[in-house]
Amino acid sequence: MPITANNPDRKSWLHVDKNSDFPIQNLPFGVFLTRDDIITIGTRIGDTAIDLGALHQLGYFNDIPLTDDIFLQDSLNDFIADGRKTWRAVRNRIADIFDNENDSLKNNVKHKEAVLFRLDEIEMQLPLQIGDYTDFYSSIEHATNVGSMFRDPDNALLPNWLHIPVGYHGRSSSIIPSGIPVHRPQGQTLPKKAKNPVFGPSQLVDFELEMAFITTDANDLGEPIPVEEAEEYIFGLVLFNDWSARDIQKWEYVPLGPFLAKNFASSISPWIVTLDALEPYRVSGPKPVKKQLEYLQQKGKKSFDINLEVAIRPKKAKETIVSRSNFKHMYWSMSQQLAHHTINGCPINSGDMMGSGTISGKTQNSFGSMLELTWNGEKPIKMADGSTRKFINDYDTVIMRGFCEKDGIRIGFGEVSTQLLPVFDAKK
Ligand code: MN
């Protein structure tokens, strides 16, 4: 089935601002609470949210095989489990309904009232019941920077890095949507030159600029997913801020890897942009530095050109953009990550989430964490309000944005915006 929703000539009868991330060619999926306190699956064009549950009840999807309640859910898991053919058919249909040439809904005031919402009338929710969450470490620049800082600049990459998309199993219970504040975590850290750890608030709270992809049911226990089929099982992507406490991380991570430094919160943008919508923005990505084992070898354009930026907004001050990066820098692609994840037969389910790992570019202003941007605090960043930052301060808001642009069409992810609050105080 062709992706007719991506037609660049298509215009919507709904208003779309020139620099909107959400023209009719995007049509992401999300879950929101309506002004009537009803939870529904929806999409978005410009600054209008569209209730897909209501559209379905009114018969606008009658020619597509869907269960009656597929959009009347508090998560996208069942819809995602229906598979790529269904996602594509639904996205194509939505594009038709909102096409300038199509009058059926455009001229039906009653139906429009039931289906359309202003953004200030809705509340975005976590779009998924995330069963499992895996985080990779797939940017060669990030891995090189971290290796140079903490080990040896001459042997920054560990011997396995160019052969394996390195990853670890994260925790899904603390994944939250944009807008939910996060408390500074407490924990054990080892002060410089000390022999014994101390307990207290983390002094080095950091963001990690990442993207995450969402999977559908992909395989049975024991069954690997071949690298060239992997994209069939990827529904879409979100922006992902993988909050990290560097001082806790440094003390705890040997030998089993990240634990409490990483699982206190991870924030995602609420609209999932489909892989179908990103198709026009495909690019080659980096060439392998070393020959890869056969199950990881991938032909064709395996990456996507997604501009990314991170801003820090102090309390009562203007934001400062501290990093500009791009998803295309990822050394290991999503397909390679998924092929590797399942090569041992590990089953992947609908609603699983896979983080890319921190996405750093080659230049100093394109690094994806404060750890790298300030080189472990040695080079503080100057902010627009005159203050400086080594890491994230209490009441700072970290904002990540991402968009693709080509031939006059821009589609984006909106933002993931999260304020850091002081340590949790039960008395307050
Ligand atoms: Mn991470």
Side-chain angles (χ1 to χ4, degrees):
M1 189 194 303
I3 314 172
T4 57
N6 290 0
N7 178 359
D9 298 326
R10 203 191 280 278
K11 291 261 184 311
S12 176
W13 50 264
L14 284 169
H15 173 76
V16 180
D17 281 338
K18 197 176 159 276
N19 278 326
S20 173
D21 280 350
F22 303 98
I24 192 168
Q25 287 79 9
N26 190 340
L27 304 178
F29 291 92
V31 172
F32 58 80
L33 208 56
T34 71
R35 58 186 169 227
D36 310 312
D37 254 1
I38 291 166
I39 202 153
T40 184
I41 286 171
T43 186
R44 170 176 176 176
I45 296 175
D47 288 340
T48 305
I50 296 158
D51 181 343
L52 294 178
L55 262 186
H56 190 22
Q57 277 182 321
L58 293 167
Y60 285 88
F61 295 115
N62 276 353
D63 49 342
I64 301 171
L66 294 166
T67 52
D68 289 347
D69 63 348
I70 191 71
F71 297 124
L72 299 172
Q73 314 249 354
D74 60 7
S75 84
L76 277 155
N77 294 52
D78 286 353
F79 175 64
I80 293 172
D82 279 351
R84 177 169 249 196
K85 230 172 110 184
T86 303
W87 318 329
R88 193 167 286 182
V90 166
R91 233 178 118 259
N92 285 349
R93 190 77 253 275
I94 298 168
D96 279 344
I97 298 166
F98 291 92
D99 190 306
N100 216 2
E101 310 282 300
N102 187 341
D103 289 338
S104 54
L105 178 63
K106 184 181 173 184
N107 291 342
N108 193 324
V109 176
K110 258 203 143 152
H111 283 187
K112 279 201 288 191
E113 223 166 80
V115 166
L116 305 180
F117 295 85
R118 290 195 318 269
L119 293 182
D120 61 8
E121 295 176 308
I122 63 161
E123 191 182 297
M124 295 305 295
Q125 309 290 304
L126 194 70
L128 302 156
Q129 187 86 45
I130 301 165
D132 276 308
Y133 151 51
T134 301
D135 198 20
F136 286 93
Y137 188 60
S138 286
S139 151
I140 195 166
E141 287 81 10
H142 174 67
T144 305
N145 286 339
V146 174
S148 306
M149 249 181 276
F150 293 121
R151 283 187 304 271
D152 171 11
D154 295 328
N155 297 289
L157 287 182
L158 287 167
N160 62 2
W161 200 93
L162 291 170
H163 299 282
I164 291 179
V166 171
Y168 73 97
H169 282 128
R171 187 162 178 88
S172 50
S173 65
S174 52
I175 299 176
I176 48 174
S178 178
I180 308 277
V182 168
H183 285 281
R184 178 179 295 274
Q186 301 190 82
Q188 284 195 29
T189 57
L190 187 68
K192 263 189 192 143
K193 290 179 188 162
K195 280 214 175 87
N196 290 306
V198 296
F199 176 81
S202 166
Q203 301 299 315
L204 309 179
V205 174
D206 199 355
F207 60 78
E208 287 188 338
L209 169 63
E210 302 194 25
M211 299 204 70
F213 70 87
I214 316 296
T215 61
T216 184
D217 293 318
N219 58 335
D220 294 324
L221 183 73
E223 181 191 6
I225 301 173
V227 69
E228 65 272 14
E229 282 174 31
E231 282 188 3
E232 286 297 310
Y233 304 104
I234 299 174
F235 175 64
L237 282 87
V238 290
L239 299 167
F240 184 49
N241 180 356
D242 190 19
W243 290 95
S244 300
R246 299 299 179 196
D247 42 0
I248 296 174
Q249 183 178 355
K250 200 175 175 197
W251 170 235
E252 76 173 359
Y253 88 104
V254 183
L256 286 186
F259 187 32
L260 303 181
K262 298 280 184 171
N263 70 7
F264 61 97
S266 304
S267 309
I268 64 170
S269 55
W271 295 105
I272 305 173
V273 176
T274 62
L275 210 57
D276 271 0
L278 295 171
E279 193 55 43
Y281 308 96
R282 216 176 251 288
V283 286
S284 298
K287 284 214 168 68
V289 175
K290 260 194 184 154
K291 192 167 188 257
Q292 294 162 351
L293 289 171
E294 207 173 301
Y295 78 96
L296 290 168
Q297 289 173 13
Q298 189 185 8
K299 291 195 186 79
K301 294 182 172 177
K302 56 183 192 169
S303 194
F304 295 88
D305 184 3
I306 306 171
N307 301 290
L308 300 168
E309 67 176 36
V310 186
I312 299 174
R313 190 174 67 227
K315 196 181 185 181
K316 292 181 188 161
K318 272 200 186 139
E319 69 171 45
T320 302
I321 291 175
V322 296
S323 175
R324 284 198 170 89
S325 185
N326 194 303
F327 186 67
K328 72 183 177 190
H329 298 312
M330 301 302 300
Y331 184 82
W332 294 103
S333 72
M334 294 183 281
S335 294
Q336 290 174 315
Q337 290 169 342
L338 203 49
H340 182 66
H341 204 311
T342 58
I343 195 62
N344 66 346
C346 172
I348 302 295
N349 296 310
S350 174
D352 285 358
M353 178 175 286
M354 315 274 171
S356 58
T358 306
I359 306 167
S360 293
K362 287 191 195 327
T363 54
Q364 225 222 300
N365 57 1
S366 65
F367 295 164
S369 63
M370 293 299 273
L371 178 70
E372 296 162 87
L373 288 164
T374 69
W375 212 254
N376 200 19
E378 285 172 22
K379 302 177 198 165
I381 288 180
K382 244 201 138 141
M383 303 281 289
D385 67 352
S387 63
T388 57
R389 289 291 180 285
K390 293 179 178 173
F391 288 88
I392 305 303
N393 288 2
D394 286 351
Y395 301 108
D396 281 352
T397 299
V398 175
I399 306 154
M400 294 177 179
R401 305 186 181 94
F403 70 92
C404 312
E405 200 159 27
K406 195 184 169 186
D407 301 331
I409 304 283
R410 167 190 168 121
I411 75 164
F413 292 78
E415 61 180 35
V416 52
S417 167
T418 316
Q419 190 179 37
L420 182 68
L421 298 178
V423 166
F424 181 82
D425 180 355
K427 285 178 227 122
K428 274 190 187 163

